[in-house]
Amino acid sequence: WRPLLAELFSSIEVGCPYCGQATTCHLDPTQWEETLVIDCEVCCRPMKVSIGRGPDGEPTAWVEAD
């Protein structure tokens, strides 16, 4: 069951658009093509993270100020 579990939960690192701090987002691939709003762990400002899959199937994220 490990390969299935690894496929169900992935993570991707994104940078805060305000302060540049790297943050890891944990993803559920059943909810790809989703937009999340998360707060930066350093400056506490909200950022919009849009998550999808690249052409190679790997997670891709776009980050913008909220």
Side-chain angles (χ1 to χ4, degrees):
W1 61 273
R2 282 186 176 225
L4 179 60
L5 186 59
E7 181 60 25
L8 289 177
F9 296 97
S10 300
S11 62
I12 191 167
E13 191 169 282
V14 297
C16 175
Y18 302 103
C19 71
Q21 173 66 33
T23 301
T24 300
C25 293
H26 298 282
L27 312 172
D28 177 355
T30 63
Q31 297 177 344
W32 290 65
E33 306 302 329
E34 182 176 330
T35 299
L36 309 169
V37 176
I38 60 173
D39 292 333
C40 175
E41 296 173 0
V42 173
C43 70
C44 299
R45 295 181 73 181
M47 60 182 135
K48 189 183 300 183
V49 181
S50 300
I51 301 163
R53 281 192 187 260
D56 57 0
E58 290 296 314
T60 305
W62 299 266
V63 180
E64 50 189 305
D66 186 42

